[in-house]
Amino acid sequence: MTVKVLNHRVEGAPSAPPLLLGPSLGTSLALWDGVAPELSAGHRVVRWDLPGHGGSAADLIGPGATVGDLAALVLDLADTLGIDRFAYAGVSLGGAVGLHLAVHRPERLTSLAVLCSSAHFGGEAPWRERAERVRREGLGWLVESADARWFTAGYSDPRLVRDHREADPEAYAACCDALAAFDLRDRLADIAVPTLAVAGREDPATPPAHLREITDAVPGATLVELPRASHLAPAQCPRAVLTALRAQLDGPPASGASVRREVLGDAHVDRAQARQTPFTARFQDFISRYAWGEIWTDPTLSRRERSMITLTALVAQGHHDELALHVRAARRNGLTPDEIGAVLLQSAVYCGVPAANSAFAVAQRVLAEEERTGEERTAG
């Protein structure tokens, strides 16, 4: 029997850590257009459509649906894609789905981000009334107020407004039923997965107080408030949302300055900083943040391995001053003189004998200086 699953789009390498992105009521997976492609550089990103929205079938849910029903559809999608555990981020109703999963199926989540959402949505009656009117009149009357409900004054996203207009009224009303019945306030303290809440300061639907309620109750949760953002923050403020999600998914950036000192030594870094001018300041910041704060801190390779690669690259390019610096760094990273020699010999095969010849001269000088320094310390 074939399981009917939510319409979805997958981006990123199949082997990358999975990340599922949930939409807001009335929108489609296009809500994440400004964020998902960037996140897919390091994650297998799966964004999905609510029933009756975008490309998802309307009959996946019916009257009286619950957020639990939507969460079950998300798990069916994950199972179909062979995804066991995943990070999750969702907006509004999509965020409620994430909260439900964190409470009821925490073993499936590695982390949770709740954007412009709530543990409850203002009481049951307004959502029951909206569902009844949508079933009776369709969505036209709601579409007229979409910009005011979703964005700050003067901003619009025609694609999302069109998705709102084209949503199936019965499925939309069923999603309203789900919001009407949703209230997890008494279970927030049970959430144990790392949790981020993102609030738009100008969001009329789920004001920052709703997100503060979540972070006050969930142990260790983090709150980020976005100025000049309303209810659909990923569409209106994609860069700010991307920054918040990257910090949640990848952790805080490592201290590039401290790693640089550990590898190259205090003396070298002190000299580089002493020579810094307003003209070179941005380059020095780039080196510390990118080379040392992101590349050298990546745990995929050890520092020993990174030293070997760096030595080979410098031999190939003939950067002898940098080579001397990184021979010293290689010693700090645990390479013996014999191992450094073996790297240079390997380089002779692939980078050329003349390049390796010069590299051996540089390395021999540096290692001799190191030996003399060691002898002087011993004698002292």
Side-chain angles (χ1 to χ4, degrees):
M1 177 178 173
T2 303
V3 177
K4 186 186 294 187
V5 297
L6 296 164
N7 181 60
H8 58 281
R9 181 181 302 168
V10 182
E11 298 159 281
S15 60
L19 165 64
L20 271 61
L21 301 178
S24 173
L25 177 64
T27 70
S28 71
L29 51 77
L31 174 61
W32 294 98
D33 278 354
V35 178
E38 297 293 331
L39 291 174
S40 68
H43 296 82
R44 183 188 183 193
V45 176
V46 181
R47 32 181 171 151
W48 52 273
D49 283 328
L50 288 163
H53 295 62
S56 284
D59 61 0
L60 286 168
I61 58 171
T66 67
V67 170
D69 294 332
L70 294 172
L73 291 172
V74 170
L75 292 182
D76 287 343
L77 172 61
D79 292 341
T80 300
L81 296 173
I83 296 173
D84 180 22
R85 303 186 71 227
F86 50 89
Y88 183 89
V91 180
S92 195
L93 178 53
V97 169
L99 289 171
H100 180 95
L101 290 171
V103 168
H104 296 283
R105 297 300 302 274
E107 75 281 1
R108 299 298 298 267
L109 296 187
T110 57
S111 69
L112 170 66
V114 180
L115 293 83
C116 305
S117 189
S118 183
H120 64 100
F121 286 84
E124 182 175 352
W127 291 105
R128 298 294 184 198
E129 292 170 5
R130 182 186 292 196
E132 290 175 9
R133 186 173 176 186
V134 167
R135 289 186 174 107
R136 189 171 62 247
E137 301 178 20
L139 287 165
W141 64 278
L142 265 176
V143 175
E144 293 175 2
S145 63
D147 284 344
R149 288 182 287 113
W150 285 352
F151 307 114
T152 56
Y155 187 89
S156 182
D157 188 318
R159 167 71 185 276
L160 293 178
V161 174
R162 185 179 75 241
D163 288 337
H164 191 357
R165 182 180 298 109
E166 295 175 353
D168 180 84
E170 288 296 329
Y172 184 100
C175 288
C176 291
D177 291 340
L179 287 169
F182 182 73
D183 191 341
L184 278 182
R185 283 175 289 183
D186 63 344
R187 299 294 306 274
L188 291 175
D190 298 337
I191 295 177
V193 299
T195 300
L196 166 71
V198 177
R201 287 187 184 165
E202 299 184 42
D203 181 357
T206 52
H210 285 241
L211 285 303
R212 284 196 292 272
E213 184 175 42
I214 293 171
T215 53
D216 285 348
V218 175
T222 300
L223 173 65
V224 173
E225 292 190 20
L226 304 182
R228 297 174 297 282
S230 187
H231 193 55
L232 299 189
Q236 187 171 1
C237 307
R239 295 183 67 178
V241 169
L242 182 63
T243 298
L245 288 180
R246 278 178 169 161
Q248 164 77 351
L249 295 167
D250 303 329
S255 173
S258 63
V259 175
R260 189 180 185 189
R261 287 183 177 276
E262 290 169 7
V263 175
L264 300 182
D266 288 333
H268 170 79
V269 177
D270 288 342
R271 286 194 299 270
Q273 291 181 340
R275 293 193 301 267
Q276 181 174 300
T277 68
F279 181 69
T280 64
R282 290 182 64 190
F283 177 71
Q284 289 296 321
D285 177 65
F286 166 77
I287 291 296
S288 288
R289 283 188 299 104
Y290 183 63
W292 297 105
E294 295 188 29
I295 303 303
W296 273 86
T297 55
D298 182 347
T300 308
L301 298 176
S302 68
R303 288 190 185 175
R304 281 173 49 85
E305 291 166 328
R306 292 190 182 280
S307 278
M308 293 179 184
I309 293 167
T310 302
L311 291 175
T312 303
L314 293 173
V315 170
Q317 294 295 317
H319 297 314
H320 295 150
D321 289 342
E322 286 279 314
L323 179 62
L325 174 66
H326 277 278
V327 169
R328 298 185 187 95
R331 294 290 286 129
R332 287 190 191 88
N333 286 339
L335 270 68
T336 66
D338 286 345
E339 288 172 327
I340 292 172
V343 170
L344 299 183
L345 192 60
Q346 180 87 3
S347 300
V349 177
Y350 296 97
C351 303
V353 171
N357 184 51
S358 298
F360 267 105
V362 171
Q364 182 168 273
R365 172 174 56 80
V366 170
L367 294 172
E369 290 172 358
E370 183 184 73
E371 187 175 351
R372 283 197 303 274
T373 301
E375 291 174 351
E376 288 169 2
R377 288 188 184 134
T378 301

